[in-house]
């Protein structure tokens, strides 16, 4: 057997996907971060029309111009970010955008600041680029929020980038405006890059989302359609950055992907320019589910922060066998340690499942794990 590249050896396969692939058809899956809603009908129709119109050829590398123009409008309206179509790249999901950032800007010896805990793909992408991870504690007593003062203490002459994710996967934490702005200021003062993953920006309850690119030029903003429009399998995302950054990012995108799917791009255009009623309904339902799961977990004695965004909770559960016990009982969850050392003694649960299934899952956990 030919030896794999040394940079892949420390990379572990995703604990999330491992739980996703458990074959028990009767298990209630609180492990996967995928909305259980269908793609809105207007978006489906736009994609059907695309196929019927034989819209199946290459697009420009950066994506259809009309979609990029719609993304520009979205950034201005929602995020206060001034950009232009030339500085937009349409990607194969926000995951590709994240990988592009790591490959284009991180190299051996570069330090990359990561919230701890944080989405496991961040660590993998940094390691694949041979970067060095510098974790910053996001503590439960601070509702898992990344604080600018803690980031400041980790900055060195080797700091190349920080990855932000607000709302957060796995904790549901939403960063405060003052911390976003302070980290943006630090990026300018110390000349490092902010890679801002804003894929959950629309799924926020009783808070407001702030983009660091409104306050700093050293930002690459990533987003996509998977979470807001339930378009996970369609693999469509986007990013924006200044002209110099975009040119470097395009090199990775061009030789790896060429362009995102035509059909998905047509759906994405309709998602941005069409009615947003289904998004509002979805977010309201997620809030109801959040309230249910937080209440039930706390009643069981599992201390749980009232997550302000995304569709995850991160209860404190010190039972090392909890995930296995829950799976055996028929409820799939993800061990918190998959998201960093501060995930120890925590479990990630997704409430991207029906209210009825969440209620049933909580009953199972109470009867068969807590009192079993």
């Amino acid at each position: 057997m030919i030896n794999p590249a040394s940079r892949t050896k420390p990379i572990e396969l995703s604990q999330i996907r491992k739980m996703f692939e458990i074959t028990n058809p009767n298990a209630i899956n609180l492990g996967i971060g995928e909305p259980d809603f269908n793609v809105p009908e207007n978006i489906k129709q736009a994609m059907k029309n695309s196929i019927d119109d034989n819209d199946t050829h290459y697009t420009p590398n950066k994506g259809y111009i009309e979609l990029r123009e719609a993304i520009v409008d979205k950034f201005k309206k929602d995020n206060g970010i001034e950009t232009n179509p030339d500085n937009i790249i349409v990607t194969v999901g926000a995951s590709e955008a994240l990988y592009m950032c790591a490959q284009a800007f991180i190299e051996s010896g570069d330090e990359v600041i990561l919230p701890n805990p944080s989405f496991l793909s961040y660590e993998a992408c940094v390691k694949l680029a041979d970067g060095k991870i510098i974790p910053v504690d996001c503590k439960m007593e601070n509702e898992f929020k990344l604080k600018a003062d803690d980031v400041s203490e980790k900055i060195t002459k080797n700091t190349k980038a920080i990855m932000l994710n607000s709302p957060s996967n796995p904790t549901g934490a939403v960063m405060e405006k003052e911390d976003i702005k302070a980290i943006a200021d630090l990026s300018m003062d110390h000349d490092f890059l902010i890679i801002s993953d804003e894929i959950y920006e629309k799924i926020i309850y009783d808070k407001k989302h702030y983009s660091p690119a409104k306050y700093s030029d050293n930002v690459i903003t990533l987003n996509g359609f998977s979470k807001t429009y339930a378009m996970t399998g369609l693999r469509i995302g986007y990013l924006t950055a200044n002209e110099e950054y975009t040119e470097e990012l395009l090199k990775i995108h061009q030789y790896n992907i060429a362009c995102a799917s035509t059909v998905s791009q047509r759906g994405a255009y309709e998602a941005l320019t069409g009615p947003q009623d289904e998004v509002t309904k979805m977010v309201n339902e997620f809030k109801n589910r959040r309230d249910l799961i937080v209440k039930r977990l706390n009643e069981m004695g599992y201390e749980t922060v009232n997550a302000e965004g995304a569709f995850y909770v991160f209860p404190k559960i010190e039972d090392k066998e909890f995930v296995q016990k829950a799976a055996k009982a028929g409820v799939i969850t993800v061990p918190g340690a998959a998201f960093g050392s501060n995930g120890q003694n925590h479990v990630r649960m997704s409430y991207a499942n029906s209210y009825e299934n969440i209620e049933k899952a909580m009953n199972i956990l109470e009867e068969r794990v807590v009192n079993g």
Side-chain angles (χ1 to χ4, degrees):
M1 176 180 170
I2 303 298
N3 289 329
S6 59
R7 65 182 176 276
T8 69
K9 287 186 177 180
I11 307 299
E12 295 183 7
L13 293 175
S14 168
Q15 292 292 313
I16 300 173
R17 300 305 301 183
K18 186 182 292 186
M19 302 309 290
F20 181 64
E21 290 163 6
I22 288 176
T23 55
N24 180 356
N26 298 315
I28 299 173
N29 198 330
L30 304 184
I32 197 69
E34 177 177 42
D36 60 315
F37 299 88
N38 292 323
V39 175
E41 289 300 322
N42 61 307
I43 299 174
K44 287 184 188 176
Q45 191 58 54
M47 293 189 290
K48 291 175 185 177
N49 293 344
S50 175
I51 290 291
D52 290 341
D53 292 341
N54 296 310
D55 187 12
T56 55
H57 302 280
Y58 288 126
T59 76
N61 288 140
K62 292 182 180 179
Y64 282 125
I65 183 62
E66 55 266 44
L67 174 55
R68 286 184 282 137
E69 288 172 343
I71 292 169
V72 168
D73 291 341
K74 179 256 180 262
F75 273 129
K76 183 175 182 179
K77 175 174 174 273
D78 293 347
N79 308 96
I81 299 173
E82 297 288 343
T83 185
N84 62 70
D86 287 338
N87 289 345
I88 302 289
I89 302 176
V90 180
T91 61
V92 181
S95 295
E96 190 221 342
L98 174 64
Y99 183 77
M100 287 162 57
C101 292
Q103 291 299 308
F105 291 100
I106 299 167
E107 53 192 339
S108 182
D110 285 342
E111 294 180 354
V112 180
I113 297 172
L114 291 187
N116 181 10
S118 64
F119 183 45
L120 47 83
S121 287
Y122 302 152
E123 180 175 345
C125 284
V126 172
K127 286 182 175 178
L128 284 169
D130 205 22
K132 180 181 179 182
I133 293 163
I134 306 297
V136 178
D137 291 341
C138 295
K139 301 171 184 175
M140 192 173 191
E141 53 263 38
N142 289 331
E143 299 180 315
F144 299 112
K145 296 181 182 185
L146 184 65
K147 309 304 290 182
D149 287 345
D150 295 333
V151 170
S152 180
E153 292 177 2
K154 300 290 185 174
I155 297 169
T156 73
K157 60 183 177 59
N158 296 319
T159 302
K160 187 65 168 288
I162 183 172
M163 291 186 176
L164 302 184
N165 179 216
S166 180
S168 163
N169 176 6
T171 67
V174 176
M175 290 181 65
E176 302 295 339
K177 179 182 180 180
E178 55 265 30
D179 290 305
I180 291 281
K181 189 175 186 307
I183 292 171
D185 291 341
L186 288 170
S187 76
M188 298 293 282
D189 293 341
H190 297 275
D191 198 25
F192 62 82
L193 185 64
I194 297 175
I195 300 168
S196 182
D197 179 358
E198 304 183 15
I199 191 73
Y200 295 101
E201 68 158 344
K202 295 290 186 181
I203 307 175
I204 292 183
Y205 324 109
D206 308 318
K207 294 282 287 187
K208 186 176 179 182
H209 173 75
Y210 295 94
S211 296
K214 184 176 180 180
Y215 311 108
S216 170
D217 295 329
N218 287 343
V219 183
I220 304 172
T221 305
L222 319 182
N223 211 320
F225 299 85
S226 292
K227 313 301 182 180
T228 303
Y229 301 97
M231 294 171 68
T232 51
L234 293 162
R235 309 311 304 133
I236 189 76
Y238 56 93
L239 62 78
T240 192
N242 65 40
E243 184 177 354
E244 291 78 13
Y245 293 165
T246 305
E247 183 175 347
E248 298 306 311
L249 291 161
L250 184 59
K251 294 175 185 177
I252 308 299
H253 176 73
Q254 187 177 76
Y255 292 113
N256 185 34
I257 298 298
C259 65
S261 155
T262 55
V263 174
S264 296
Q265 288 192 57
R266 294 305 190 194
Y269 177 80
E270 175 62 26
L272 288 180
T273 60
Q276 304 297 304
D277 308 34
E278 293 303 312
V279 176
T280 302
K281 290 180 188 175
M282 183 178 71
V283 173
N284 288 338
E285 178 58 22
F286 278 142
K287 185 176 186 294
N288 291 336
R289 298 174 186 180
R290 188 276 311 267
D291 293 344
L292 169 67
I293 198 169
V294 169
K295 178 175 181 290
R296 290 296 304 275
L297 287 168
N298 279 320
E299 287 174 350
M300 282 184 250
Y302 298 133
E303 183 183 356
T304 306
V305 171
N306 195 36
E308 294 175 333
F311 37 68
Y312 309 103
V313 288
F314 208 58
K316 185 175 184 179
I317 300 178
E318 297 182 355
D319 180 356
K320 304 295 184 186
E321 305 299 319
F322 176 89
V323 171
Q324 290 72 25
K325 290 176 183 176
K328 187 176 180 180
V331 179
I332 308 303
T333 60
V334 180
F339 305 94
S341 61
N342 282 345
Q344 296 282 354
N345 298 323
H346 291 272
V347 173
R348 192 192 79 169
M349 298 184 192
S350 166
Y351 47 92
N353 207 319
S354 71
Y355 191 96
E356 294 71 23
N357 276 345
I358 294 168
E359 196 165 40
K360 183 178 178 182
M362 294 301 104
N363 290 338
I364 291 171
L365 292 179
E366 186 170 20
E367 293 166 10
R368 299 182 59 185
V369 178
V370 177
N371 299 324

